Amino acid sequence: MKRHFFAFLLTFLLIPSAWSRPVTYQRATSVLGQPDFASSGSVSPVGAQSFVQPEAIVIEPVTGKVFVSDYQGNRVLRFSSTAAYQTNGAAEAVLGQADFDQTNSMDPPTASSLYGPGGMAFDSQGNLYVADYFNRRILRWNNPTTISSGATADIVIGQADFTSKVDPGTGSHSLFDGPWGLCIDASDNLYLGDYDLQRVLRFADAPSLSGAGITASAVFGQPDLGSFDTGLDPGPGPLLTVGIFNYVWGLHVDTAGRLWVADNGNVRVLRFDNAATKPSGALPDAVLGQPNFASSASGQGASRLRNAYHLAMDAAGTLWLSDYLNARVLGFKNAGTRPATGVNNANIVLGQPNFTATGGALVNDRTIGLPYGIAVTPAGGLLVADRSAYRVLHFRSENAALQASLRTQIAAAQKALKKAKKAGKKAQAKKLAKKVASLNAQLADAS
């Protein structure tokens, strides 16, 4: 509970007084996985400075450390809050493998192995959850910012033990066949997108989940826990009678409790308001990428997509989406308050000079060959995984107001640190000292 409150306080401190975001066709300022912006080759054997296929990205809110799931590398790389924003920065630890030069997929699985890791998320206690796709499970690591390479997971969710990868079969159940997208809200509701079962499951109290005896509190995209069909049009309601997903990819839950689902096969993003209280089979409240709920056409432009992969939202309410085959990341300002249907244009595009341009063979600091995972940095920038170039790009948020805000936050954190030391509150002082260091790193990055 203390950590939950402290993380909330730090999140509050990190909200800039004048929020800044990347702008259209902005240059990246650093790259992970490659020695420079012109390089795009795969590296063999892999190591602490390379990726096999970077997939999802999450940032731990207290330390600012960055975690990248390397799907075909069967591992998760952890970067310090400094190395994550340095070109060719080296990871400080690896999960899923014993060391950096291995990419093994164990059969049967173990407590320290991964086979196709996808989405990741943190709960209020700082535990890291990783969707382990081919092993049909979620693994949880406690203390993920400090554990050593090759550390065993503490909890398995969706299987009876660490060595099982049982197919859940048919019938009504809350288990996984293709766990992929993952997010956790401020109340520790865990949302799991099952790519193969065409649904999103909601579980209450993420820290309490363990084993195969789990029961979802609600299912999205299907009328009930025993339905697994693909579909498109939700119909008139009031609840679903058919499936409406066609291979769910990324998930995101924003600070207002809205659940965003990248419904990739239907080339759209669906929004579910007040997701924590919706019943099973609830209809979506809005759609992006299509003019209505019955359309699934692909295309270019500011209101169309060719893919809907990963999602992230910044503090100003801009929803960022990776549009894979259009080789771009789109930013939809004020996404949470947009109308349910109609032409909902993106406002910002990264990776392309405009909304009509697509593709391109060049590899440089402006292009994103095949964008995957996205994470909003504490300083308001973006980290974007580029699958085609085996790299993660950092698009910095450059703004004088942001720098001034960070300086104010540093002064406030230093003052709080001084008081904590004077009061003899060692644990609080230790966390504040880390936050001061993290804020200073962000200021250096934004300068």
Side-chain angles (χ1 to χ4, degrees), residues 7-21:
F8 173 80
L9 175 61
L10 292 178
T11 301
F12 175 78
L13 285 172
L14 280 170
I15 298 175
S17 56
W19 185 262
S20 173
R21 62 177 70 81

PDB file of all heavy atoms in Angstrom, residues 7-21:
ATOM      1  N   ALA A   7       4.159   5.513  -5.593  1.00  0.00           N
ATOM      2  CA  ALA A   7       4.189   5.526  -7.053  1.00  0.00           C
ATOM      3  C   ALA A   7       3.210   6.560  -7.594  1.00  0.00           C
ATOM      4  O   ALA A   7       3.489   7.258  -8.571  1.00  0.00           O
ATOM      5  CB  ALA A   7       3.847   4.135  -7.602  1.00  0.00           C
ATOM      6  N   PHE A   8       2.045   6.675  -6.934  1.00  0.00           N
ATOM      7  CA  PHE A   8       1.064   7.675  -7.352  1.00  0.00           C
ATOM      8  C   PHE A   8       1.625   9.083  -7.193  1.00  0.00           C
ATOM      9  O   PHE A   8       1.475   9.943  -8.055  1.00  0.00           O
ATOM     10  CB  PHE A   8      -0.219   7.530  -6.532  1.00  0.00           C
ATOM     11  CG  PHE A   8      -1.216   8.637  -6.779  1.00  0.00           C
ATOM     12  CD1 PHE A   8      -2.033   8.610  -7.893  1.00  0.00           C
ATOM     13  CD2 PHE A   8      -1.321   9.721  -5.915  1.00  0.00           C
ATOM     14  CE1 PHE A   8      -2.946   9.622  -8.133  1.00  0.00           C
ATOM     15  CE2 PHE A   8      -2.218  10.738  -6.150  1.00  0.00           C
ATOM     16  CZ  PHE A   8      -3.039  10.688  -7.259  1.00  0.00           C
ATOM     17  N   LEU A   9       2.314   9.319  -6.054  1.00  0.00           N
ATOM     18  CA  LEU A   9       2.901  10.628  -5.806  1.00  0.00           C
ATOM     19  C   LEU A   9       3.939  10.976  -6.857  1.00  0.00           C
ATOM     20  O   LEU A   9       3.972  12.097  -7.377  1.00  0.00           O
ATOM     21  CB  LEU A   9       3.541  10.648  -4.420  1.00  0.00           C
ATOM     22  CG  LEU A   9       4.314  11.921  -4.020  1.00  0.00           C
ATOM     23  CD1 LEU A   9       3.383  13.120  -4.013  1.00  0.00           C
ATOM     24  CD2 LEU A   9       4.985  11.746  -2.674  1.00  0.00           C
ATOM     25  N   LEU A  10       4.770   9.980  -7.204  1.00  0.00           N
ATOM     26  CA  LEU A  10       5.813  10.227  -8.196  1.00  0.00           C
ATOM     27  C   LEU A  10       5.207  10.476  -9.568  1.00  0.00           C
ATOM     28  O   LEU A  10       5.688  11.301 -10.341  1.00  0.00           O
ATOM     29  CB  LEU A  10       6.766   9.030  -8.265  1.00  0.00           C
ATOM     30  CG  LEU A  10       7.628   8.823  -7.003  1.00  0.00           C
ATOM     31  CD1 LEU A  10       8.481   7.581  -7.169  1.00  0.00           C
ATOM     32  CD2 LEU A  10       8.504  10.035  -6.751  1.00  0.00           C
ATOM     33  N   THR A  11       4.149   9.739  -9.884  1.00  0.00           N
ATOM     34  CA  THR A  11       3.468   9.970 -11.158  1.00  0.00           C
ATOM     35  C   THR A  11       2.936  11.388 -11.221  1.00  0.00           C
ATOM     36  O   THR A  11       3.030  12.084 -12.232  1.00  0.00           O
ATOM     37  CB  THR A  11       2.303   8.970 -11.333  1.00  0.00           C
ATOM     38  OG1 THR A  11       2.840   7.656 -11.286  1.00  0.00           O
ATOM     39  CG2 THR A  11       1.596   9.185 -12.658  1.00  0.00           C
ATOM     40  N   PHE A  12       2.383  11.863 -10.104  1.00  0.00           N
ATOM     41  CA  PHE A  12       1.884  13.236 -10.038  1.00  0.00           C
ATOM     42  C   PHE A  12       3.018  14.239 -10.272  1.00  0.00           C
ATOM     43  O   PHE A  12       2.883  15.200 -11.004  1.00  0.00           O
ATOM     44  CB  PHE A  12       1.224  13.479  -8.688  1.00  0.00           C
ATOM     45  CG  PHE A  12       0.795  14.912  -8.480  1.00  0.00           C
ATOM     46  CD1 PHE A  12      -0.361  15.385  -9.070  1.00  0.00           C
ATOM     47  CD2 PHE A  12       1.549  15.788  -7.717  1.00  0.00           C
ATOM     48  CE1 PHE A  12      -0.764  16.706  -8.888  1.00  0.00           C
ATOM     49  CE2 PHE A  12       1.167  17.098  -7.526  1.00  0.00           C
ATOM     50  CZ  PHE A  12       0.004  17.563  -8.120  1.00  0.00           C
ATOM     51  N   LEU A  13       4.154  13.987  -9.625  1.00  0.00           N
ATOM     52  CA  LEU A  13       5.290  14.889  -9.770  1.00  0.00           C
ATOM     53  C   LEU A  13       5.809  14.940 -11.193  1.00  0.00           C
ATOM     54  O   LEU A  13       6.377  15.937 -11.628  1.00  0.00           O
ATOM     55  CB  LEU A  13       6.429  14.442  -8.845  1.00  0.00           C
ATOM     56  CG  LEU A  13       6.267  14.744  -7.350  1.00  0.00           C
ATOM     57  CD1 LEU A  13       7.371  14.064  -6.565  1.00  0.00           C
ATOM     58  CD2 LEU A  13       6.258  16.241  -7.087  1.00  0.00           C
ATOM     59  N   LEU A  14       5.600  13.838 -11.949  1.00  0.00           N
ATOM     60  CA  LEU A  14       6.158  13.765 -13.287  1.00  0.00           C
ATOM     61  C   LEU A  14       5.262  14.366 -14.359  1.00  0.00           C
ATOM     62  O   LEU A  14       5.626  14.395 -15.520  1.00  0.00           O
ATOM     63  CB  LEU A  14       6.443  12.308 -13.650  1.00  0.00           C
ATOM     64  CG  LEU A  14       7.735  11.756 -13.052  1.00  0.00           C
ATOM     65  CD1 LEU A  14       7.808  10.254 -13.259  1.00  0.00           C
ATOM     66  CD2 LEU A  14       8.939  12.433 -13.684  1.00  0.00           C
ATOM     67  N   ILE A  15       4.082  14.856 -14.000  1.00  0.00           N
ATOM     68  CA  ILE A  15       3.208  15.462 -15.002  1.00  0.00           C
ATOM     69  C   ILE A  15       3.700  16.874 -15.291  1.00  0.00           C
ATOM     70  O   ILE A  15       3.638  17.754 -14.435  1.00  0.00           O
ATOM     71  CB  ILE A  15       1.743  15.504 -14.536  1.00  0.00           C
ATOM     72  CG1 ILE A  15       1.228  14.072 -14.326  1.00  0.00           C
ATOM     73  CG2 ILE A  15       0.883  16.240 -15.540  1.00  0.00           C
ATOM     74  CD1 ILE A  15      -0.175  13.998 -13.750  1.00  0.00           C
ATOM     75  N   PRO A  16       4.228  17.145 -16.504  1.00  0.00           N
ATOM     76  CA  PRO A  16       4.749  18.457 -16.800  1.00  0.00           C
ATOM     77  C   PRO A  16       3.672  19.524 -16.781  1.00  0.00           C
ATOM     78  O   PRO A  16       2.519  19.272 -17.112  1.00  0.00           O
ATOM     79  CB  PRO A  16       5.326  18.284 -18.224  1.00  0.00           C
ATOM     80  CG  PRO A  16       5.519  16.808 -18.391  1.00  0.00           C
ATOM     81  CD  PRO A  16       4.434  16.179 -17.587  1.00  0.00           C
ATOM     82  N   SER A  17       4.052  20.741 -16.421  1.00  0.00           N
ATOM     83  CA  SER A  17       3.089  21.836 -16.369  1.00  0.00           C
ATOM     84  C   SER A  17       2.621  22.212 -17.763  1.00  0.00           C
ATOM     85  O   SER A  17       1.535  22.713 -17.942  1.00  0.00           O
ATOM     86  CB  SER A  17       3.735  23.045 -15.684  1.00  0.00           C
ATOM     87  OG  SER A  17       4.924  23.413 -16.345  1.00  0.00           O
ATOM     88  N   ALA A  18       3.449  22.018 -18.767  1.00  0.00           N
ATOM     89  CA  ALA A  18       3.057  22.261 -20.158  1.00  0.00           C
ATOM     90  C   ALA A  18       3.493  21.033 -20.947  1.00  0.00           C
ATOM     91  O   ALA A  18       4.645  20.911 -21.330  1.00  0.00           O
ATOM     92  CB  ALA A  18       3.719  23.526 -20.690  1.00  0.00           C
ATOM     93  N   TRP A  19       2.582  20.080 -21.152  1.00  0.00           N
ATOM     94  CA  TRP A  19       2.950  18.800 -21.736  1.00  0.00           C
ATOM     95  C   TRP A  19       3.411  18.977 -23.165  1.00  0.00           C
ATOM     96  O   TRP A  19       2.814  19.688 -23.964  1.00  0.00           O
ATOM     97  CB  TRP A  19       1.766  17.838 -21.680  1.00  0.00           C
ATOM     98  CG  TRP A  19       2.164  16.485 -22.153  1.00  0.00           C
ATOM     99  CD1 TRP A  19       1.971  15.956 -23.382  1.00  0.00           C
ATOM    100  CD2 TRP A  19       2.871  15.498 -21.401  1.00  0.00           C
ATOM    101  NE1 TRP A  19       2.499  14.703 -23.451  1.00  0.00           N
ATOM    102  CE2 TRP A  19       3.061  14.388 -22.249  1.00  0.00           C
ATOM    103  CE3 TRP A  19       3.360  15.441 -20.101  1.00  0.00           C
ATOM    104  CZ2 TRP A  19       3.706  13.239 -21.847  1.00  0.00           C
ATOM    105  CZ3 TRP A  19       4.005  14.294 -19.690  1.00  0.00           C
ATOM    106  CH2 TRP A  19       4.172  13.205 -20.550  1.00  0.00           C
ATOM    107  N   SER A  20       4.492  18.309 -23.486  1.00  0.00           N
ATOM    108  CA  SER A  20       5.061  18.335 -24.822  1.00  0.00           C
ATOM    109  C   SER A  20       5.066  16.928 -25.378  1.00  0.00           C
ATOM    110  O   SER A  20       5.139  15.962 -24.631  1.00  0.00           O
ATOM    111  CB  SER A  20       6.475  18.898 -24.767  1.00  0.00           C
ATOM    112  OG  SER A  20       7.102  18.795 -26.012  1.00  0.00           O
ATOM    113  N   ARG A  21       5.015  16.800 -26.687  1.00  0.00           N
ATOM    114  CA  ARG A  21       5.015  15.489 -27.327  1.00  0.00           C
ATOM    115  C   ARG A  21       5.825  15.575 -28.615  1.00  0.00           C
ATOM    116  O   ARG A  21       6.095  16.660 -29.121  1.00  0.00           O
ATOM    117  CB  ARG A  21       3.577  15.056 -27.638  1.00  0.00           C
ATOM    118  CG  ARG A  21       2.865  15.988 -28.596  1.00  0.00           C
ATOM    119  CD  ARG A  21       1.466  15.517 -28.945  1.00  0.00           C
ATOM    120  NE  ARG A  21       0.551  15.619 -27.840  1.00  0.00           N
ATOM    121  CZ  ARG A  21      -0.062  16.746 -27.472  1.00  0.00           C
ATOM    122  NH1 ARG A  21       0.190  17.886 -28.113  1.00  0.00           N
ATOM    123  NH2 ARG A  21      -0.897  16.760 -26.469  1.00  0.00           N
TER     124      ARG A  21
END
